[in-house]
Amino acid sequence: MVLTLVGLSRGIVEDGQQRARGVGADIIIRPPNSSLFSFSGTFPAGILEYVRKEPGIAMATGTFVYSTGGVDSITGIDLESFNAMSGGFRYLQGKRFQQPDDILVDDYYARANHLHAGDWHELIHRKWRLAGIVEPGKMSRMFMDLARLQDLTANVGRLSCIYAKAADPANANAIIASLKAHGMSQYQIYSLQDLLSQMTVTNVPMLQKFTVVIIGIGMFVGFLIVFLSMYTAVLERTREIGILKALGASPLFILNILLRETVLLALSGSVLGIGMSYGSRWLIMTLEPTMMQAIVPDWWPIAMAISIGGALGGALYPGFKAALQDVIDALAYE
């Protein structure tokens, strides 16, 4: 459970980083007071022309992002300028959109929704023709014509984000400083490297706290399971423990046997859990391809420590109870 949850958290963030790189931009401009992990707010599309005129900017393109429910959103793009910056889509099925009601989706979204090029798909309370399916890794999972999305959502002349490519990527920070010095200080302007460095699990609102809570619940549940299992095991072995004590076994010897058994079971369970994290990754990405789960080897020792700690905590009381029980009572137990 711990490895799957941490893997999902990291996988989603790494997927976001990959899609940000796929745009090919060196500078990202977002509305004032916008959140790093959401496209809240818009700004006038005229800002795009201002950015294009900035010395050092080779090209720039604007996008408008509209939520379609839950965590899904569709991105409006100017296909020509987007292709010029990103290198263009690689089409797995179909081709670029041609008509106002055409959309593109990436392969993950298509597999999750069982879509093929030419199908009709409902979004924003209307049907859209799926013109093509593209290789994942460029900005979004769903695309449509920028002007069409702006018009449909009553956001004509508004943008959610501007992506700019510097003539020399090494000058990105200097260009950002110049933009802020010339009237854009209120905008959220990042270099690609700064944006990627902030796209971490710890910066996702509530995700780190959620992870800690789930790990705590996992430890508590593990403690209860081991406690009940060891308590039952001690009751079932009461007579055997009495025989050992009658033969001269000390309380420490009895406790040592039970705790070693607990550690062995915890280690075996940890190895099994690591193997099952690969299984959960396959299952999640088969049933819901848009959910990314990473394999997190750096968390394997942490998960093992949690497992062993919870198991030892649950085994201590039954172990002490077994070690301190009276020999006569133990031998007479039925």
Side-chain angles (χ1 to χ4, degrees), residues 3-334:
L3 294 179
T4 296
L5 176 65
V6 173
L8 278 170
S9 303
R10 189 174 298 178
I12 291 170
V13 171
E14 289 176 355
D15 178 60
Q17 292 176 332
Q18 180 185 357
R19 286 191 277 159
R21 291 190 190 97
V23 181
D26 300 307
I27 298 170
I28 295 90
I29 303 170
R30 302 180 65 174
N33 304 316
S34 61
S35 168
L36 180 66
F37 287 92
S38 70
F39 284 89
S40 56
T42 62
F43 53 80
I47 298 295
L48 177 59
E49 291 305 317
Y50 179 83
V51 171
R52 285 173 172 166
K53 295 176 182 177
E54 176 69 23
I57 295 292
M59 63 181 72
T61 187
T63 67
F64 178 74
V65 182
Y66 184 79
S67 173
T68 58
V71 297
D72 292 329
S73 62
I74 188 166
T75 301
I77 60 172
D78 174 66
L79 194 57
E80 300 302 331
S81 60
F82 179 82
N83 285 345
M85 178 172 294
S86 66
F89 292 113
R90 179 173 176 266
Y91 291 88
L92 304 179
Q93 293 182 32
K95 57 184 179 180
R96 56 182 288 166
F97 39 68
Q98 304 285 337
Q99 303 298 324
D101 287 340
D102 284 355
I103 62 170
L104 301 174
V105 302
D106 77 354
D107 184 49
Y108 290 144
Y109 186 88
R111 288 194 284 119
N113 292 275
H114 311 290
L115 296 172
H116 301 87
D119 289 350
W120 290 86
H121 185 52
E122 185 170 351
L123 289 171
I124 324 177
H125 309 296
R126 62 186 298 126
K127 295 284 188 178
W128 301 88
R129 190 181 74 90
L130 181 56
I133 298 173
V134 300
E135 192 175 68
K138 291 185 185 292
M139 187 192 295
S140 183
R141 300 211 184 280
M142 294 184 284
F143 304 88
M144 67 177 300
D145 180 70
L146 173 61
R148 177 63 168 154
L149 184 59
Q150 289 171 324
D151 179 61
L152 189 65
T153 59
N155 281 284
V156 174
R158 309 294 295 181
L159 295 175
S160 300
C161 188
I162 292 174
Y163 296 89
K165 193 175 186 68
D168 182 357
N171 294 331
N173 288 329
I175 294 172
I176 291 172
S178 176
L179 287 171
K180 289 185 175 181
H182 293 90
M184 295 188 66
S185 58
Q186 73 273 31
Y187 289 87
Q188 303 289 327
I189 310 178
Y190 307 91
S191 69
L192 178 64
Q193 295 307 315
D194 285 343
L195 181 70
L196 295 179
S197 68
Q198 294 186 54
M199 293 178 69
T200 63
V201 173
T202 55
N203 285 335
V204 179
M206 297 302 294
L207 185 55
Q208 188 176 28
K209 292 181 180 179
F210 177 73
T211 303
V212 171
V213 169
I214 292 298
I215 290 174
I217 292 173
M219 289 186 66
F220 181 70
V221 172
F223 169 84
L224 289 180
I225 291 173
V226 173
F227 177 85
L228 292 173
S229 300
M230 292 304 299
Y231 191 80
T232 302
V234 168
L235 289 178
E236 292 175 345
R237 300 176 187 175
T238 298
R239 190 173 181 82
E240 287 82 355
I241 292 171
I243 293 172
L244 287 173
K245 297 194 73 171
L247 292 173
S250 65
L252 185 60
F253 180 83
I254 302 296
L255 181 62
N256 184 41
I257 290 175
L258 295 173
L259 292 183
R260 278 190 297 172
E261 178 184 350
T262 300
V263 171
L264 181 61
L265 290 172
L267 286 173
S268 301
S270 297
V271 172
L272 181 62
I274 291 171
M276 290 178 68
S277 70
Y278 285 87
S280 67
R281 180 175 183 267
W282 174 84
L283 185 63
I284 288 171
M285 295 186 69
T286 299
L287 298 178
E288 185 54 58
T290 58
M291 297 292 289
M292 301 290 110
Q293 179 185 332
I295 299 299
V296 285
D298 54 309
W299 266 80
W300 292 353
I302 299 173
M304 283 188 173
I306 292 171
S307 174
I308 294 172
L312 288 175
L316 280 175
Y317 173 75
F320 276 115
K321 185 177 184 299
L324 299 176
Q325 64 183 329
D326 184 80
V327 177
I328 301 300
D329 292 338
L331 290 172
Y333 181 81
E334 291 294 341

